[in-house]
Amino acid sequence: MISSALTAGSQTIFIKKGNIEYERKTNTYRLYFSGEENSFWDQIKKSIPQFKTDHFNLIFNESRSVYKIGKENTDQKISYFESPANENTVYKDLDQQISVSQKQVFESHFLISDSLKNLEWKLLPETRTIAGFECHKALTKICDSVVVVAFYSDEITPSNGPESFGGLPGMILELAVPRLYTTWTATKLEQITDTDEKVIIAPVKGKKANQKEIIAKVDEGTKDDTWQNFHNRVLWFVSL
């Protein structure tokens, strides 16, 4: 396991490939029940954990990566209230500037081919240490107004990160979307072999769709009055 950039004398050896495990934490009460004050929601609230933790892996080399679900937390199943991004698989080709994503939206699985996100990042002076790496802060927005906070390390050279995020001078090791009450934090980085790199392939299962069709699916699934308040949150999740 690598916990920080390797050094040889005074020279830093930058990391170009590996397997990063991310721990994703969601405050389910804040995500699903903010502003919901009635007996129906109170009963549902009592049946699920306040905080949910999931694990994802990003297996990467200099040009390609695949982000997919990691080890399972069998004690934290919350049925209908699973995040729409709970089973995302995201493949990226940095050379070709393309991505292929397999996403579940309600009961349906979709396969989305697209160009890599072209995000406008604001680099900030704040730093913190994550999984042994010094990381620098950056901000961007998705869906016009949803703030995303990232901490990236230039000691891991590919411009990459969890979900569909990237475009910074290094690897994103922590990501937070405050309006989704969700954070992704790298807990460890392991070396990979040539054999491990063979799993860096695009997903193939799911109904082929574009972003417009995904949005239509979200609109359809949240049209009932009971779920109207969740519309934007689901839309933000499928835009990750």
Side-chain angles (χ1 to χ4, degrees):
M1 179 177 72
I2 305 172
S3 60
S4 62
L6 304 177
T7 57
S10 60
Q11 183 179 7
T12 300
I13 301 174
F14 292 98
I15 297 169
K16 299 179 179 180
K17 62 182 182 179
N19 177 8
I20 299 173
E21 181 177 293
Y22 291 91
E23 185 176 79
R24 187 184 74 178
K25 291 187 175 181
T26 302
N27 185 327
T28 57
Y29 286 9
R30 297 294 299 276
L31 176 62
Y32 295 119
F33 306 114
S34 294
E36 305 294 344
E37 301 292 342
N38 60 52
S39 58
F40 171 76
W41 292 115
D42 286 343
Q43 286 301 114
I44 293 179
K45 191 175 180 180
K46 293 176 182 178
S47 69
I48 67 174
Q50 180 177 358
F51 296 97
K52 187 170 188 296
T53 302
D54 298 295
H55 296 90
F56 289 82
N57 290 93
L58 179 68
I59 305 168
F60 67 95
N61 59 26
E62 290 181 90
S63 60
R64 297 178 296 116
S65 68
V66 63
Y67 168 86
K68 58 185 181 178
I69 194 165
K71 61 185 180 183
E72 184 179 9
N73 281 344
T74 56
D75 60 338
Q76 291 188 318
K77 291 293 185 181
I78 56 175
S79 63
Y80 191 86
F81 287 91
E82 292 289 355
S83 156
N86 195 56
E87 297 181 2
N88 281 3
T89 300
V90 181
Y91 167 84
K92 301 183 196 126
D93 187 318
L94 303 184
D95 290 340
Q96 300 296 320
Q97 289 289 292
I98 60 172
S99 68
V100 181
S101 304
Q102 180 182 298
K103 297 185 177 183
Q104 181 177 356
V105 184
F106 305 121
E107 75 285 357
S108 302
H109 288 82
F110 294 95
L111 193 66
I112 308 158
S113 297
D114 205 349
S115 56
L116 295 183
K117 283 185 183 294
N118 183 21
L119 298 169
E120 293 186 9
W121 290 99
K122 181 180 180 180
L123 306 185
L124 298 173
E126 182 180 339
T127 63
R128 67 175 56 168
T129 300
I130 301 167
F133 295 90
E134 183 182 46
C135 295
H136 307 270
K137 188 176 183 178
L139 297 178
T140 192
K141 291 181 181 179
I142 59 173
C143 301
D144 296 326
S145 63
V146 179
V147 173
V148 178
V149 184
F151 281 87
Y152 69 93
S153 172
D154 55 13
E155 296 172 356
I156 308 173
T157 57
S159 177
N160 213 325
E163 299 287 354
S164 60
F165 290 92
L168 284 165
M171 180 67 69
I172 297 171
L173 294 185
E174 185 168 280
L175 190 76
V177 185
R179 290 173 75 178
L180 289 175
Y181 308 102
T182 301
T183 60
W184 294 252
T185 304
T187 56
K188 64 180 180 180
L189 187 154
E190 297 178 327
Q191 292 177 320
I192 60 172
T193 65
D194 292 342
T195 301
D196 296 323
E197 288 186 75
K198 292 180 180 178
V199 306
I200 307 177
I201 55 176
V204 295
K205 295 182 179 180
K207 178 184 177 181
K208 292 184 178 180
N210 56 38
Q211 195 63 22
K212 184 177 180 181
E213 291 169 315
I214 296 296
I215 293 171
K217 182 67 176 178
V218 173
D219 291 343
E220 175 68 20
T222 56
K223 67 181 181 180
D224 185 275
D225 289 343
T226 304
W227 306 108
Q228 273 292 308
N229 290 343
F230 298 107
H231 175 271
N232 285 345
R233 279 168 273 182
V234 176
L235 192 59
W236 298 336
F237 262 118
V238 300
S239 301
L240 293 176

